[in-house]
Amino acid sequence: MLEWAWPWIAALLPLPWLLRWLMPAAADRGGIALRLPFAEEAQAIADGATISRFAGLPVLAMLAWLLLCIAAARPQWVGEAQDLPRSGRDLLLAVDVSGSMQAEDMRIGGRPVDRLTAVQVVGGDFLRRREGDRVGLLLFGQQAYLMTPLTFDLKHVDYQLQTSVIGLAGRETAIGDAIGLAVKRLRETTSKQRVLILLTDGVNTAGALNPLKASELAVAEKVRVYTVGVGGDSSQSGMLGMMFAQPAEIDEPTLQAVADRTGGRYFRARNTAELAGIYAEIERLEPSLQAGERLRPRSELFVWPLAAALLLAALGLVSRLAVAQLASAPFRAGRTS
């Protein structure tokens, strides 16, 4: 629909006619007349130019003024109302890429896959449903690295997750350092809702910071930590062509303590179905998107009447110059003769 930002501009439409009516007429100044030998011819040309000028220029001037008033009133095309997503939630995803994540005890589509692949598949779907949130990605092994800072560009975060590889940050597991780095990044934000989701399949075997000590930092900065133990009850490893079942080493008491201290929860993901359910549960625990303000997109249209007014003004100027040229032609002819 069409709307006007400043409709009161319409009150200025009769302004030129009011000024013409209120202002006194120009005084007729008498003087000594100059006799010209070609006075009759000049008067005829002047009369014709005057008729032409009064026949065309006032119409152009009126149209130009009308268009200028329309442009000044700022016509706008208003679209359908749209809800703006609003969340105010900053979410950091910390994923373990240590050597133990290569254990193939998860299944997708009936085929066995390693733990990191399962996290990538399920985590990718989780990220695609985070519209309105700022999400970052942190990878950790022997070291912790922030791969993607908090951003609304969820496609880039998903790309970084999908292209991560086992051993990228070392073969060991530094859970405490990962929590510490995540808290450091989250405390720089102004959001009241700061969440860390940490996925690991092992025990803290590297790094300078103990996980429980790191949880104290999270409590101080009001960062809620959800910990997820990834992996089946046993993992498969091979030696000399033979496969052996080994129990999954997950420090569940520590992960549970970290989550409890920060107001989060600990989850155990033995397969992809449980992992997907954990993401759904975290989404339920953390308030989802709230409806923001309704916005009607507006497109400014003033440029079109403004451009038309400028074009008419240019045509009027060209017409006046042409009239002046015609009026001065006899004088030039008289001088040359």
Side-chain angles (χ1 to χ4, degrees):
M1 58 182 297
L2 184 66
E3 289 187 0
W4 304 87
W6 300 329
W8 53 267
I9 294 292
L12 300 179
L13 276 174
L15 183 61
W17 289 270
L18 289 175
L19 292 176
R20 181 180 179 85
W21 179 62
L22 293 175
M23 294 180 65
D28 185 11
R29 299 179 180 178
I32 300 175
L34 177 65
R35 293 184 175 276
L36 300 175
F38 45 85
E40 295 181 359
E41 292 84 349
Q43 184 63 43
I45 294 175
D47 291 342
T50 302
I51 295 173
S52 174
R53 180 174 59 195
F54 279 95
L57 294 183
V59 176
L60 293 179
M62 287 188 293
L63 287 177
W65 177 251
L66 175 63
L67 291 171
L68 282 176
C69 289
I70 292 176
R74 286 183 58 195
Q76 300 173 335
W77 183 259
V78 183
E80 295 294 331
Q82 300 176 359
D83 290 328
L84 292 179
R86 182 183 62 190
S87 172
R89 174 171 49 189
D90 288 339
L91 190 151
L92 195 55
L93 195 63
V95 178
D96 187 351
V97 291
S98 62
S100 57
M101 289 291 286
Q102 66 185 354
E104 296 185 356
D105 56 358
M106 309 289 276
R107 302 186 73 85
I108 296 179
R111 62 183 183 88
V113 296
D114 59 68
R115 295 167 182 172
L116 180 58
T117 299
V119 170
Q120 290 171 332
V121 172
V122 181
D125 180 67
F126 176 74
L127 288 173
R128 284 186 287 273
R129 291 185 283 110
R130 298 274 61 75
E131 182 180 357
D133 290 338
R134 288 204 312 166
V135 183
L137 176 65
L138 186 150
L139 301 180
F140 67 97
Q142 188 171 350
Q143 304 288 335
Y145 298 99
L146 183 68
M147 299 300 295
T148 306
L150 293 169
T151 177
F152 290 106
D153 189 357
L154 302 181
K155 290 184 178 179
H156 180 68
V157 179
D158 186 30
Y159 172 79
Q160 291 289 349
L161 175 62
Q162 302 304 324
T163 55
S164 60
V165 294
I166 295 171
L168 180 65
R171 308 295 294 184
E172 297 183 68
T173 308
I175 299 176
D177 286 2
I179 297 175
L181 179 58
V183 171
K184 179 181 178 181
R185 294 302 181 183
L186 286 170
R187 74 179 179 185
E188 297 172 355
T189 70
T190 58
S191 173
K192 296 180 180 179
Q193 205 170 354
R194 294 175 284 187
V195 180
L196 168 63
I197 302 177
L198 185 139
L199 300 99
T200 183
D201 70 337
V203 181
N204 188 73
T205 57
L209 193 59
N210 181 275
L212 296 179
K213 186 65 176 178
S215 67
E216 297 177 4
L217 300 177
V219 173
E221 299 298 336
K222 298 180 180 180
V223 175
R224 188 177 292 110
V225 181
Y226 292 93
T227 54
V228 182
V230 181
D233 293 325
S234 63
S235 60
Q236 302 293 326
S237 61
M239 182 179 296
L240 299 177
M242 301 178 64
M243 301 301 294
F244 300 93
Q246 295 180 345
E249 295 183 0
I250 300 177
D251 189 357
E252 292 189 281
T254 298
L255 297 179
Q256 180 76 58
V258 169
D260 291 343
R261 289 184 178 186
T262 60
R265 283 185 57 182
Y266 167 70
F267 300 94
R268 183 75 163 86
R270 296 175 177 83
N271 50 59
T272 54
E274 289 185 356
L275 184 58
I278 290 169
Y279 281 127
E281 180 67 11
I282 293 175
E283 186 174 356
R284 185 187 67 82
L285 293 173
E286 292 296 324
S288 58
L289 290 176
Q290 301 174 356
E293 299 178 356
R294 293 179 66 82
L295 174 68
R296 288 182 176 273
R298 297 176 180 268
S299 300
E300 296 284 353
L301 304 177
F302 71 90
V303 64
W304 301 107
L306 179 60
L310 293 177
L311 179 60
L312 290 178
L315 290 176
L317 179 61
V318 171
S319 299
R320 292 184 66 89
L321 292 176
V323 168
Q325 288 289 99
L326 290 174
S328 62
F331 295 97
R332 293 197 302 269
R335 290 176 181 176
T336 54
S337 61

